[in-house]
């Protein structure tokens, strides 16, 4: 299950963006606030389009807790509920689409409402950022469709604390989002399944390249992951370096996913240059073996360099990677596509690609 | 230090020699604020152009020039090759070599060396600028003599214009070991009429 293209309208800071020619391994780069993380979130929402809880989850990833339905404005362009979010994609030649709109109070049609007191209008902090009055938004309505199938609907209301499914839809696509907030979440469960599925040795072989003394990985009491470094006692994984834990988490996520999509924000975080090479080797091998499509973001030149170097070393004639430089010029977003050859050329020419 | 698009006028040339030659020529004809980029080989125009197009700042480029050799074929073939690259990026194409697009963004011009018509390369153009020098008779005699000793295999890959350039530059003071350094040291006659067309092209495109 691989994305071939993505089209985003009115999502977060993105008015319109189209990304084509997606491959198995995709790296997104660009200046701060160009929309890289938003693209991962759009992929996450579209992959789980039938789950109305996901618009809340993507805020949790950013450490933002949504309390009331008006907080959903964060996903709309310019925080304005007037522009419905539209996300479309093509996966294995089948299109899927998701439209997110606010659910409005049934009284919205009335022509006159009680006037807001003047003193309230005069206070800047009370002026709504949206064209609708705050109280009118009662949740989100998600309309989604797969290929030429009929369209489905689901709703979420924070005020009511409910999700509603108009018709049952069975989602086949799996997708996981990892960032600094979420990367260690559920690692104990992932490690458990790796041990049960006898895949733990593959992970140990990879981690040995960073820490040669690793002999084994075991689960201990309280779901704590322990590393056997050949010493008298086992070491809890939490006291190991950040790099080893991050690679462990990423590779374990790929093993767990299988035929799915993995999204990793700021993939280079906490990793030394030498570990980046090991990380890419491990990720390339695991994604290939388990048929996982990767979308990752980075700001690091070394991360881009090693992405290209490791791939071309192992696949001199391969065409399974793409780098996208996301550019935002005034309000226009554009994805500039680098094939392996163009990426090599840019690096050879010492061009800035970030 | 990573290289960036620093100017709004770009000139893409085939190699290091061309880079030095055209930087010198642009300086002499007082065309300033042009960033000359070495594409590192005629077969690399496509990849280099793609890498440039993707770089931040390319959307601010207002003037874009391409200079490449005709090589063994007529100029049309090299011109078409550059046009197909422009087409793949939805960029405007001039209607023929030595012409510049009108009312387009960016303005684009293509010049095929030596003369926008026949086969040849920058070496032919440079040699034209010094062929009336008395010293050049000696160069021709020397090369002619040497050519008698080429084997059949060597003849297949022998490059006469490059041989003439090397021999001529070897006779110059200070010596220069390639066409580009020869340009920087003033060994080519930049006032020669053979360079009028290319000067006019650069002035029309960049001024």
């Amino acid at each position: 299950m691989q994305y071939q293209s993505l089209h985003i309208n009115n999502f977060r800071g993105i008015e319109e963006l189209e990304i084509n020619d997606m491959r198995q391994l995709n790296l997104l780069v660009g200046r701060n606030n160009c929309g890289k993380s938003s693209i991962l979130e759009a992929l996450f929402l579209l992959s789980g389009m039938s789950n109305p809880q996901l618009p809340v989850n993507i805020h949790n990833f950013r450490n933002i807790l949504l309390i009331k339905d008006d907080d959903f404005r964060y996903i709309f362009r310019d925080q304005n509920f007037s522009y419905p979010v539209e996300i479309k994609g093509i996966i294995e030649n089948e299109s899927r689409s998701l439209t997110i709109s606010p659910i409005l109070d049934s009284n919205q049609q009335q022509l006159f409402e009680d006037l807001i007191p003047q003193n309230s209008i005069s206070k800047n902090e009370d002026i709504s950022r949206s064209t609708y009055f705050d109280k009118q938004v009662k949740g989100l309505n998600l309309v989604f469709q797969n290929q030429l199938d009929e369209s489905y609907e689901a709703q979420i209301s924070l005020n009511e604390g409910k999700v509603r499914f108009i018709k049952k839809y069975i989602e086949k696509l799996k997708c996981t989002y990892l960032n600094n907030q979420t990367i260690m979440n559920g690692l104990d469960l992932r490690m458990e399944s790796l041990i049960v599925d006898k895949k733990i040795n593959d992970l140990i072989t990879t981690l040995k390249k960073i820490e040669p003394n690793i002999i084994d990985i075991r689960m201990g009491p309280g779901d704590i992951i322990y590393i056997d470094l050949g010493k008298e006692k086992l070491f809890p994984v939490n006291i190991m370096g950040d790099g080893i834990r991050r690679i462990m988490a990423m590779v374990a996520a790929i093993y767990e996913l299988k035929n799915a999509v993995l999204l990793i924000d700021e993939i280079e975080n906490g990793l030394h240059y030498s570990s980046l090479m090991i990380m890419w080797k491990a990720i390339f091998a695991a994604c290939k073996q388990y048929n996982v499509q990767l979308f990752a973001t980075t700001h690091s030149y070394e991360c881009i360099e090693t992405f290209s170097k490791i791939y071309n070393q192992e696949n001199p004639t391969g065409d399974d990677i793409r780098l996208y430089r996301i550019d935002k010029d005034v309000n226009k977003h554009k994805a500039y596509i680098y094939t392996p050859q163009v990426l090599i050329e840019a690096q050879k020419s010492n061009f800035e690609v970030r | 230090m990573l290289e960036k698009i620093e100017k709004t006028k770009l000139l893409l040339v085939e190699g290091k020699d061309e880079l030095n030659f055209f930087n010198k020529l642009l300086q002499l004809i007082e065309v300033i604020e042009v960033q000359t980029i070495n594409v590192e080989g005629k077969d690399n125009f496509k990849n280099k152009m793609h890498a440039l197009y993707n770089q931040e700042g390319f959307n601010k480029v207002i003037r874009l020039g391409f200079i490449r050799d005709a090589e063994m074929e007529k100029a049309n073939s090299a011109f078409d090759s550059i046009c197909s690259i422009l087409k793949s990026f939805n960029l405007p194409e001039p209607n023929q070599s030595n012409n510049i697009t009108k009312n387009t963004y960016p303005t684009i011009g293509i010049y095929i060396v030596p003369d926008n018509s026949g086969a040849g390369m920058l070496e032919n153009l440079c040699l034209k600028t010094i062929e009336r020098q008395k010293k050049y008779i000696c160069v021709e005699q020397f090369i002619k003599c040497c050519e008698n000793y080429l084997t059949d295999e060597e003849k297949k890959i022998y490059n006469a214009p490059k041989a003439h350039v090397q021999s001529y530059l070897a006779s110059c003071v200070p010596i220069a070991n390639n066409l580009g350094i020869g340009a920087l040291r003033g060994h080519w006659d930049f006032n020669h009429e053979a360079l009028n067309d290319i000067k006019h092209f650069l002035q029309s495109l960049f001024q």
Side-chain angles (χ1 to χ4, degrees):
Chain A
M1 298 283 269
Q2 286 201 3
Y3 277 99
Q4 292 157 279
S5 67
L6 178 73
H7 196 121
I8 302 170
N9 279 98
N10 302 322
F11 178 60
R12 298 227 195 260
I14 301 171
E15 184 177 342
E16 186 173 12
L17 173 67
E18 188 163 1
I19 307 180
N20 293 308
D21 198 24
M22 291 169 159
R23 297 299 158 121
Q24 185 168 29
L25 306 151
N26 305 279
L27 193 56
L28 303 165
V29 300
R31 286 176 180 265
N32 284 329
N33 206 32
C34 71
K36 299 184 294 295
S37 302
S38 301
I39 293 166
L40 296 190
E41 289 172 340
L43 284 163
F44 186 71
L45 291 177
L46 187 60
S47 302
M49 59 189 183
S50 61
N51 183 352
Q53 176 71 36
L54 299 190
V56 176
N57 294 9
I58 59 170
H59 291 91
N60 293 343
F61 299 159
R62 291 182 186 241
N63 221 3
I64 298 169
L65 188 63
L66 302 189
I67 297 165
K68 53 189 192 304
D69 288 312
D70 179 63
D71 293 340
F72 280 128
R73 68 176 187 271
Y74 300 140
I75 69 167
F76 293 84
R77 176 163 69 90
D78 298 337
Q79 300 194 36
N80 189 331
F81 286 113
S82 309
Y83 310 122
V85 174
E86 290 177 335
I87 308 168
K88 294 174 190 164
I90 295 178
I91 305 173
E92 309 283 340
N93 296 323
E94 286 198 3
S95 62
R96 61 166 53 204
S97 65
L98 169 67
T99 303
I100 307 175
S101 327
I103 301 169
L104 302 174
D105 189 331
S106 54
N107 292 333
Q108 62 166 308
Q109 299 297 336
Q110 72 184 58
L111 289 173
F112 299 102
E113 284 199 349
D114 294 335
L115 193 63
I116 299 166
Q118 278 301 310
N119 58 355
S120 160
I121 292 173
S122 65
K123 287 185 199 167
N124 275 341
E125 65 267 28
D126 289 336
I127 296 175
S128 170
R129 293 179 187 201
S130 63
T131 55
Y132 299 104
F133 292 112
D134 294 349
K135 64 177 182 177
Q136 289 180 309
V137 176
K138 298 291 184 191
L140 291 182
N141 192 50
L142 286 73
V143 178
F144 51 95
Q145 192 172 19
N146 204 345
Q147 189 67 351
L148 300 172
D149 205 357
E150 57 191 322
S151 66
Y152 293 80
E153 245 177 287
Q155 295 176 340
I156 180 167
S157 169
L158 294 178
N159 295 349
E160 291 178 29
K162 282 181 182 166
V163 291
R164 210 174 281 129
F165 301 90
I166 313 295
K167 247 186 306 180
K168 183 79 177 162
Y169 174 86
I170 299 165
E171 181 59 81
K172 291 177 195 157
L173 180 61
K174 284 191 293 178
C175 177
T176 292
Y177 187 108
L178 301 180
N179 70 357
N180 263 350
Q181 285 288 116
T182 64
I183 194 159
M184 295 302 162
N185 294 355
L187 184 58
D188 50 342
L189 295 174
R190 284 183 194 139
M191 299 311 291
E192 258 180 21
S193 26
L194 287 186
I195 291 167
V196 172
D197 295 344
K198 291 186 170 180
K199 290 177 190 162
I200 200 72
N201 284 338
D202 291 352
L203 183 62
I204 293 168
T205 308
T206 297
L207 297 178
K208 264 181 182 284
K209 290 171 189 162
I210 305 173
E211 173 50 71
N213 294 324
I214 293 180
I215 295 169
D216 199 5
I217 300 173
R218 295 182 205 172
M219 297 301 297
D223 293 331
I224 294 174
I225 304 161
Y226 286 94
I227 308 279
D228 186 350
L229 294 172
K231 306 275 184 188
E232 200 176 321
K233 288 190 174 181
L234 300 177
F235 288 80
V237 73
N238 286 357
I239 66 161
M240 302 291 288
D242 199 27
I244 208 161
R245 287 189 294 132
R246 287 182 66 88
I247 293 180
M248 182 188 279
M250 287 188 268
V251 176
I254 296 169
Y255 288 172
E256 183 199 48
L257 273 170
K258 213 173 183 179
N259 302 321
V261 177
L262 177 62
L263 313 167
I264 308 178
D265 201 13
E266 297 187 2
I267 194 167
E268 82 284 2
N269 260 1
L271 293 168
H272 184 262
Y273 176 77
S274 57
S275 301
L276 285 172
M277 296 210 273
I278 294 161
M279 175 195 80
W280 283 127
K281 271 189 183 176
I283 285 181
F284 289 164
C287 283
K288 198 172 178 180
Q289 190 179 349
Y290 293 94
N291 193 29
V292 168
Q293 187 179 26
L294 173 78
F295 292 88
T297 70
T298 186
H299 284 119
S300 152
Y301 182 78
E302 285 85 359
C303 187
I304 300 166
E305 192 187 20
T306 48
F307 173 71
S308 166
K309 190 175 168 181
I310 298 297
Y311 181 77
N312 288 300
Q313 261 175 17
E314 297 185 354
N315 311 272
T317 56
D319 196 24
D320 293 328
I321 63 166
R322 287 289 180 271
L323 180 133
Y324 305 91
R325 185 177 70 79
I326 308 301
D327 197 24
K328 184 184 174 186
D329 188 18
V330 195
N331 283 324
K332 290 270 177 201
H333 279 81
K334 187 168 177 176
Y336 291 90
I337 305 172
Y338 289 78
T339 61
Q341 295 78 15
V342 176
L343 189 51
I344 290 171
E345 186 57 48
Q347 289 172 324
K348 200 174 74 184
S349 306
N350 221 16
F351 283 171
E352 175 64 273
V353 296
R354 289 171 296 180
Chain B
M1 186 73 179
L2 294 170
E3 197 177 328
K4 293 179 178 173
I5 295 176
E6 285 163 343
K7 295 183 177 159
T8 57
K9 298 173 187 176
L10 301 184
L11 177 64
L12 275 64
V13 297
E14 266 193 56
K16 189 75 191 291
D17 278 341
E18 284 80 358
L19 188 86
N20 286 330
F21 179 88
F22 287 106
N23 275 341
K24 183 71 180 179
L25 186 59
L26 287 165
Q27 181 197 339
L28 290 172
I29 61 174
E30 296 177 343
V31 171
I32 55 166
E33 292 300 309
V34 177
Q35 188 174 348
T36 314
I37 292 167
N38 171 9
V39 306
E40 296 167 85
K42 67 178 170 62
D43 298 328
N44 208 30
F45 267 100
K46 190 178 177 186
N47 281 342
K48 183 72 91 174
M49 181 59 200
H50 197 153
L52 264 178
Y53 179 84
N54 280 356
Q55 236 192 318
E56 196 172 79
F58 186 83
N59 55 357
K60 294 185 177 67
V61 170
I62 52 169
R63 305 262 161 167
L64 178 62
F66 294 85
I67 297 180
R68 67 155 280 190
D69 291 343
E71 298 282 342
M72 310 297 283
E73 294 171 53
K74 288 195 169 178
N76 281 354
S77 171
F79 174 76
D80 291 345
S81 162
I82 301 287
C83 284
S84 72
I85 295 168
L86 292 171
K87 200 182 292 245
S88 67
F89 294 102
N90 287 323
L91 288 168
E93 303 158 49
N95 51 14
Q96 62 182 61
S97 55
N98 200 20
N99 276 11
I100 288 158
T101 59
K102 293 203 167 45
N103 304 319
T104 62
Y105 188 91
T107 302
I108 295 181
I110 301 171
Y111 194 97
I112 305 298
V113 175
D115 57 6
N116 293 299
S117 140
M121 53 188 79
L122 183 59
E123 281 77 358
N124 297 96
L125 196 56
C126 289
L127 291 171
K128 266 199 176 313
T129 72
I130 48 98
E131 67 187 4
R132 282 185 228 143
Q133 286 183 17
K134 286 181 183 165
K135 186 166 73 171
Y136 192 65
I137 298 168
C138 308
V139 171
E140 282 198 308
Q141 284 173 349
F142 169 72
I143 290 293
K144 199 172 179 182
C145 179
C146 294
E147 282 173 349
N148 289 327
Y149 299 98
L150 289 172
T151 64
D152 287 345
E153 279 306 300
E154 285 171 333
K155 278 178 189 168
K156 287 180 191 166
I157 51 168
Y158 176 65
N159 188 322
K162 282 191 191 290
H164 282 76
V165 163
Q166 292 282 321
S167 308
Y168 168 73
L169 290 174
S171 73
C172 293
V173 180
I175 198 166
N177 60 3
N178 62 51
L179 182 151
I181 301 293
L184 296 178
R185 291 182 180 167
H187 295 331
W188 307 114
D189 181 3
F190 284 100
N191 294 317
H192 195 279
E193 67 214 24
L195 297 178
N196 286 353
D197 277 356
I198 188 104
K199 284 181 189 171
H200 181 253
F201 169 80
L202 293 169
Q203 281 162 333
S204 311
L205 179 60
F206 293 123
Q207 277 185 333

